Amino acid sequence: MAVPLSTYPRRLLPLFLGLFQAALLLFFALFVTYDEPSALVKDTNSVANQVYSTFPFFQDIQMMLVVGLGLLLTFLPRYGFSALTHNFLLLNFSMQWALVLQGLLHHFHHGQIHLDLHKLLISEFAAVTVLISVGAILGRASPCQLLVMATCEIPIYVASEWVIVTCLGVLDVGGTITIHVFSCYFGLGVSKALFRATQQPPHPKETPTPHSDLMSLVGTLILWVFWPSFVAVLCQPGDAQHRAILNTLLAISASAITTVVASSLLERDGKLSPGHLQNSSLAGGVAIGVVADMAMPPAAALALGSLSAVVCVLGFRFLTPLLGRKLTLHDQCGIHNLHGLPGILGAAASIVAVLVASKDTSGSHPSQPSLVGGNASEVVEGQWGDRGVGGQALCQAAGLAVAVGASLLAGLLTGAALRLPCLARPPERLCFDDSLYFKIQDQAESPGPDSSAEEGALALKE
């Protein structure tokens, strides 16, 4: 019996994921192994100490990505199941895909990739770029489109991060440039190419409700609590990591207070906007990442956190509507306001921090995140001295330019590819609706002319 044409998009998702997981299983069976256990007691204790010092940070980051970020995306009232599930799916898919690519490019020795907790951690950092980028098209893209987007974004990120960190020697321990700026402009590029010059009118299902805004705010609180772990995990243990934790806490604390001030002042009745609280409270964590481990006064961290919150609130209030009108740029989650603008602000702060650094602080150079493997101190040691302060500042600016340019161009190309009809982009009237992808219990019990099954069939035919 012939399979109806309308069922092929339904089967494309499990087919895509099934083939991917089978290929990954074969790859791991042939090329991936664990590190050999050390025969020396001293080395065994060193490995144990490294695991015990890293794994708590790793758990915090898992909590951020799976629960915090997932709940943050539930501000769409009829898209909560999809937001949480697609976030969870993309995290696992992107992490495994990044493990393969980073392993082949940076850790492939004698025909084997030796897997450890650090390699798994940097693969999750790569996956974060995808989770941020999809915020620009959340609710208007199918799962197949999101997976193809992740497939394209991860290799571009790996190449971009290698150029920025290894070739240019950019200091960015918290991923402000390499992760936040890159993922923001990649997502905006995808959005621009996917929707082209079409003005996206407000959708009746995308207006948040008190319940959905409350769930999203819970996600913000979880992200806020664990953000210092995200910034500090790749710092050198000791003073650098201690500074990173303290600076991040000060920055996000200042962001939270300043968000309330700015949001209240922008509203005529003095009330707070839930959207501002959900996003701008985290802006300080984005901006501080690039300078978190540098020797800087506490007041600088507070000032950067406050300024980033103001920039984020103003972006939501004025810049997003302006970009929508003038450039027909669709940004569903406001990733430009939370990740792009504070990221650029943080990069500018790193340039200033490098320029004002005195020779007296040469003994407390910032640590470089070892995202591409190897000892972080080996990457940076001596480079600042050879380049001089001005040279390092130029490298910081060049890294920002590479992140923006490469991500935007790659995003535009990826967005054009996502327009393929076989990827089953949902029709406009069925966007932002869980019933298109999930079997909702109350709808299943009371089928009618507007049931989810009929809506899904109609969407696939369209």
Side-chain angles (χ1 to χ4, degrees), residues 247-307:
N247 285 331
T248 304
L249 283 170
L250 290 175
I252 59 177
S253 179
S255 283
I257 294 178
T258 307
T259 296
V260 174
V261 175
S263 180
S264 179
L265 290 177
L266 283 176
E267 299 295 333
R268 292 182 179 179
D269 54 6
K271 295 182 179 180
L272 303 179
S273 167
H276 294 165
L277 290 174
Q278 293 156 7
N279 294 275
S280 303
S281 301
L282 304 172
V286 174
I288 198 66
V290 69
V291 295
D293 60 339
M294 295 185 182
M296 53 189 290
L302 287 171
L304 185 58
S306 294
L307 187 57

Side-chain angles (χ1 to χ4, degrees), residues 57-73 83-92 94-95 120-132 134 179-180 219 222-224 226-227 229-230 339:
F57 287 107
F58 184 82
Q59 286 180 305
D60 291 350
I61 294 171
Q62 290 279 85
M63 185 70 175
M64 289 178 66
L65 302 183
V66 176
V67 183
L69 185 57
L71 288 176
L72 180 64
L73 301 178
L84 279 167
T85 304
H86 294 164
N87 180 76
F88 185 53
L89 173 63
L90 287 170
L91 171 62
N92 287 278
S94 302
M95 179 193 67
L120 195 63
L121 177 64
I122 61 175
S123 70
E124 289 219 340
F125 270 67
V128 172
T129 61
V130 175
L131 303 185
I132 295 172
V134 299
I179 294 177
H180 294 285
I222 293 173
L223 289 169
W224 192 94
F226 293 111
W227 203 286
S229 296
F230 183 87
H339 302 278

Side-chain angles (χ1 to χ4, degrees), residues 65-129:
L65 302 183
V66 176
V67 183
L69 185 57
L71 288 176
L72 180 64
L73 301 178
T74 59
F75 65 95
L76 298 170
R78 299 187 61 180
Y79 202 70
F81 282 110
S82 300
L84 279 167
T85 304
H86 294 164
N87 180 76
F88 185 53
L89 173 63
L90 287 170
L91 171 62
N92 287 278
F93 176 86
S94 302
M95 179 193 67
Q96 294 184 33
W97 180 220
L99 268 177
V100 172
L101 293 180
Q102 291 174 330
L104 289 175
L105 292 175
H106 305 303
H107 312 295
F108 194 73
H109 303 293
H110 307 294
Q112 291 288 320
I113 298 172
H114 292 273
L115 188 62
D116 57 24
L117 184 59
H118 178 76
K119 295 181 179 67
L120 195 63
L121 177 64
I122 61 175
S123 70
E124 289 219 340
F125 270 67
V128 172
T129 61

Side-chain angles (χ1 to χ4, degrees), residues 106-174:
H106 305 303
H107 312 295
F108 194 73
H109 303 293
H110 307 294
Q112 291 288 320
I113 298 172
H114 292 273
L115 188 62
D116 57 24
L117 184 59
H118 178 76
K119 295 181 179 67
L120 195 63
L121 177 64
I122 61 175
S123 70
E124 289 219 340
F125 270 67
V128 172
T129 61
V130 175
L131 303 185
I132 295 172
S133 295
V134 299
I137 58 174
L138 185 72
R140 296 183 186 269
S142 69
C144 292
Q145 286 179 309
L146 298 180
L147 289 172
V148 171
M149 179 177 172
T151 304
C152 298
E153 183 171 4
I154 291 296
I156 302 299
Y157 163 77
V158 171
S160 170
E161 186 269 340
W162 178 78
V163 171
I164 294 172
V165 173
T166 304
C167 298
L168 296 177
V170 172
L171 304 173
D172 184 20
V173 71

